[in-house]
Structure formats: structure tokens, C-alpha cells
Amino acid sequence: MTTHNPQTLAWQALSGEHHLAPFSDYKQLKEKGPRIITKAHGVHLWDSEGNKILDGMAGLWCVAIGYGRDELADAASQQMRELPYYNLFFQTAHPPALELAKVVAEVAPEGMSHVFFTGSGSEGNDTVLRLVRHYWTLKGQPQKKVVISRLNGYHGSTVAGASLGGMSGMHEQGDLPIPGIVHIAQPYWFGEGGDMSPDEFGIWAADQLEQKILELGVDQVAAFIAEPIQGAGGVIIPPDSYWPRIKEILARYDILFVADEVICGFGRTGEWFGSDYYGLKPDLMTIAKGLTSGYIPMGGVIVRNEVVKVINEGGDFNHGFTYSGHPVAAAVALENIRILRDEKIIERVKSKTAPYLQKRLRELAEHPLVGEVRGLGMLGAIELVADKQTRQRHEGLGVGMICRQFCFDNGLIMRAVGDTMIIAPPLVISFAEIDELIEKARLCLDLTLEAING
Ligand code: PXG
């Protein structure tokens, strides 16, 4: 990237000299320097070179209500002046956390009226692991410890989060997963479905859960955790047959079901939660991201009343974070949820903008580089292939990264997960901005095709 603003180079130098970035290739980062994002409004970002960029990823899947809402800044500022910090430990509490717990319970699926707050989604899933084991111990079955998860699922980057997740690159760094966590196949038909139809494959993938439960013995299994739609794995929307079959299996065995709603929660599917969209009945739900629209860090675990009843009988739960239910974060979350409700943002996604985005996105399926376009709500994926029929990839070319770079250079942020391009724009994206997103994506697909054809 050629720079015009001397300040850009100065900031890039600071990056090399002092900063260790999350999820980055350090060697590459040192050579090229990061793009410096300096401000944002609505669905757009500006970098330090003055380029305006459409944020097709809502930050990292989180900026539901869009950037630049003064109400959230005001809520934070007011709360900082009133009570900037206090904790929820040892029999104390404060109004913002309690009021937020009530509001979260109002939007959560029926029968889930308690929430444990954390600072992030990863901490939420650490909490899940502690909670489900604590639950079974209290139920007199302390040997029920194993959590079944899925390959290529993402559940965070702490030791428990990365262990629950099924990302091989993360497991390799740090001897993960920790004991007591096992993984089954993911319902990724496009990548792994072979000659099966999507529905046949969905049944096959769901049946892996039952096989694993039987192999381990149900008396050993504490829970199954899954994202309703895998986000970081590549916007993997299970075949229609998958969730109904999983529900049948879960009904047969006495294990807990944890829906990781960190990405799907707070409206991304056009419902409050992915579990609402698929009619799932989770015992626990991990939340973060859309809870505060990313304006401030916060996560949590929403817990079904039957589970709460058991842990309420259990005395001390020896778990918690300094920033659990942080008052400023809670005040921001309250304001964020107020805006989502009052402005009927999720209803608008469901009835208007998501159908339009999905219709326009599918126009890209005609492109010679595209093997499949899938999407739901404000989520989309575009599979880049060499052969549309066989779904064969352009092996070894790094087509996804090439396309991602063209996007960046042409004012659009689209993520590449291997050769899958993904989008998750802010929920407030307008029709005209959806048009802008699609036209830019089409241009970048053209440029990518040109580049790989030499
Ligand atoms: N669960 C899910 C489903 C997530 O997507 C987490 C848990 C962890 O949340 P925290 O707040 O601890 O980051 C996430 C986070 C990516 C990417 O590459 C996705 C996430 C985080 C970082 C990168 O798309 N999701």
C-alpha cells in the first residue's frame, strides 16, 4: 500500500516496534504494516489515508447498530461519572448489571431468565465449561465431564475457548484441546459433502453426535456445544436436515446443549438468536459481540431456569471475572438493546434488508469464479472455485487472500476463510449500501479472476 499521510508510516512503525497483534502473521505484518483505521460512521470506516471503506464484516461480526451512535457514548459517559466500577462478587451488585440481566432475559428464548456476565465470548465459553461440569457434579454425576464440540467451530481464544473450538491451527499452538473435549464433523456440505446430497450429508453429520455419545457413554458426556451457524469457520449454514436431526438426538440423551450465540445472537439471522431461527432449545447460550454492538467489551452466558435451579442449590460457584457485568459495559449494552428494540432493527432485517441482501448476493453465483453463494439474515458466504461442478478449488493459489486484498483496495471489507469469502455487515445497512456492497464484491471477483488467469 502506498502511503500519502506521514502519520500512517509513524503508526505503522509503532506497530512493528511495540505491538503484538491478535491473529496476525507477524512476519508479514512487519513487512507491510497494518492498515490504520481511524474513524467510522454508519457502515463505513475511514483509514489513515482517507480511504472510505464499506465494512462488510461489522468490525468482527459485532457492530450491529452501526458505528457512531452518540447514545452509546452518552450512556458510557454518564455511567462512568455515576459509578465507573464496582464488582458483583461476594454479595454485592449494582443497577446496570441487574437491569441488563432483566432485559437480556426479556429478549432471550422462553425459560432462560438468568445471565452470568463476562468480559468476552471466550470468557463466556470458559464459564460454560465450568458451569456444565459444576451442574453435573451437583446432580450427583461428577463423571459427566466431556464436552462434544465440532471441528472448525470457533468458541474463542482462551485455553477453554480454543479447546472447545475446532480450529486445527489453534490446537497446534499450545497442546490443545485440553482433556475432556472431543470434536465431531462439521455440517459443511460444500467443503466436505462429497457425493452426498446436502440433506443426506446433514443427517450424516448430525449422526456423528449420536455416535460420539454412544462411543463415550452418555454417563461421561456433559454437553454438546455448537454455533447455530458457524461464523469464523466460513459462514457454514447447515443443510436443512441437520438441526432437526440434532434435536432428535439431544432429546434421546441426558446431556446439556450449549448454543454459542456470540455471532448469531442479537439479530444476525433476523431473529434475536440463532436458536430462535432454528427452533433450538438450548440449556445455555453464550453471548457477546452484538450485546454491546462492540462499542465496549462484554459477554455472558444465558442459562435455562432448570439449570439455574440446580446451581442455586449448590452453594458457592467459584468462578467470576473482575469485569463480570462491568457497570459501564452494562449501561452501553442496555442502550444498545434499547436501540435494537425501539428502532425495530431486527424486524427490519427479517422482513426487508436481509431478503434484499440475500437476493442480490445470489446474483454473484453466476460469476465464473463462484461455486456457491449461501447466506441467511445478515450473513453471507461466497465459495471461490476452479470448477463449479466438482467444487474443486484453485489449489495453492490463495485465491481468497487475493480477493480480500482487492476488496480492501477497492473500499470493501470482506473476510477470506481459505477460499470462502464471507460477509456480515452491520444490521442497519441500507438498500443502497447493500447495492454498494454487491457491486464492489462483483468488481473484486472480476479482478481476482483476472489476476489468477494472468
Ligand atoms: N464464540 C464465537 C461463535 C465467536 O465467533 C467467540 C466465541 C469468542 O469471543 P471473543 O469475544 O472472546 O473474541 C467468537 C469470536 C474471525 C474471528 O476470524 C471471530 C471471532 C473472534 C476473532 C476472529 O472471524 N469470534
Side-chain angles (χ1 to χ4, degrees), residues 22-23 57 59-61 119-125 153-158 161 167 225-234 260-264 286-289 297-299 415-417 422:
F23 278 102
M57 283 305 298
L60 259 183
W61 320 82
S120 67
S122 298
E123 288 179 6
N125 283 325
Y154 190 84
H155 298 297
S157 197
T158 51
M167 298 289 180
I225 183 169
E227 301 156 83
I229 294 166
Q230 284 154 264
D260 184 334
E261 294 272 2
V262 168
I263 283 179
C264 291
T286 320
I287 54 171
K289 297 193 190 274
M298 187 175 224
R415 276 274 316 282
V417 176
I422 57 176

Side-chain angles (χ1 to χ4, degrees), residues 146-151 182-187 201-218 221-226 242-258 280 283:
V146 179
V147 178
I148 301 175
S149 180
R150 301 181 304 181
L151 294 167
V182 299
H183 298 83
I184 57 172
Q186 58 174 335
F201 179 71
I203 297 288
W204 176 86
D207 284 349
Q208 301 308 300
L209 174 62
E210 184 160 43
Q211 276 184 25
K212 188 57 82 178
I213 294 170
L214 295 174
E215 178 193 317
L216 294 164
V218 67
V221 180
F224 171 55
I225 183 169
Y242 183 77
W243 282 117
R245 181 71 150 215
I246 291 276
K247 280 197 277 185
E248 282 172 31
I249 295 167
L250 289 170
R252 276 202 283 278
Y253 300 96
D254 193 18
I255 67 171
L256 296 171
F257 171 50
V258 185
L280 309 177
D283 299 294

Side-chain angles (χ1 to χ4, degrees), residues 8-255:
T8 301
L9 291 173
W11 279 322
Q12 288 176 333
L14 290 183
S15 160
E17 285 159 19
H18 300 295
H19 185 225
L20 295 173
F23 278 102
S24 300
D25 177 333
Y26 283 11
K27 198 155 160 265
Q28 216 176 45
L29 191 61
K30 203 146 176 80
E31 279 159 17
K32 280 180 62 188
R35 185 178 291 255
I36 311 289
I37 304 298
T38 50
K39 64 172 188 174
H41 191 79
V43 302
H44 288 98
L45 307 164
W46 280 262
D47 68 15
S48 57
E49 295 294 299
N51 296 306
K52 184 179 177 187
I53 306 162
L54 195 159
D55 185 2
M57 283 305 298
L60 259 183
W61 320 82
C62 47
V63 188
I65 63 168
Y67 297 94
R69 292 295 302 246
D70 285 340
E71 300 93 322
L72 271 61
D74 293 342
S77 150
Q78 212 178 332
Q79 186 58 46
M80 277 201 186
R81 287 167 217 283
E82 181 81 21
L83 179 72
Y85 177 75
Y86 202 71
N87 66 73
L88 305 172
F89 286 44
F90 320 132
Q91 321 284 338
T92 61
H94 49 65
L98 298 175
E99 280 161 26
L100 179 61
K102 169 175 170 277
V103 167
V104 167
E106 282 167 10
V107 300
E110 220 185 299
M112 302 188 81
S113 49
H114 291 71
V115 57
F116 187 102
F117 290 116
T118 67
S120 67
S122 298
E123 288 179 6
N125 283 325
D126 274 60
T127 302
V128 159
L129 189 64
R130 303 284 311 278
L131 249 176
V132 299
R133 289 178 174 173
H134 181 53
Y135 168 86
W136 286 115
T137 301
L138 290 171
K139 294 261 287 182
Q141 299 187 68
Q143 80 292 347
K144 269 171 93 72
K145 284 206 192 328
V146 179
V147 178
I148 301 175
S149 180
R150 301 181 304 181
L151 294 167
N152 200 38
Y154 190 84
H155 298 297
S157 197
T158 51
V159 169
S163 293
L164 290 166
M167 298 289 180
S168 55
M170 293 174 82
H171 289 174
E172 282 158 18
Q173 295 177 338
D175 292 334
L176 303 177
I178 53 173
I181 294 171
V182 299
H183 298 83
I184 57 172
Q186 58 174 335
Y188 180 27
W189 175 78
F190 189 85
E192 299 174 3
D195 294 333
M196 284 188 246
S197 71
D199 277 341
E200 283 165 2
F201 179 71
I203 297 288
W204 176 86
D207 284 349
Q208 301 308 300
L209 174 62
E210 184 160 43
Q211 276 184 25
K212 188 57 82 178
I213 294 170
L214 295 174
E215 178 193 317
L216 294 164
V218 67
D219 62 330
Q220 303 294 310
V221 180
F224 171 55
I225 183 169
E227 301 156 83
I229 294 166
Q230 284 154 264
V235 181
I236 291 159
I237 299 174
D240 292 343
S241 58
Y242 183 77
W243 282 117
R245 181 71 150 215
I246 291 276
K247 280 197 277 185
E248 282 172 31
I249 295 167
L250 289 170
R252 276 202 283 278
Y253 300 96
D254 193 18
I255 67 171

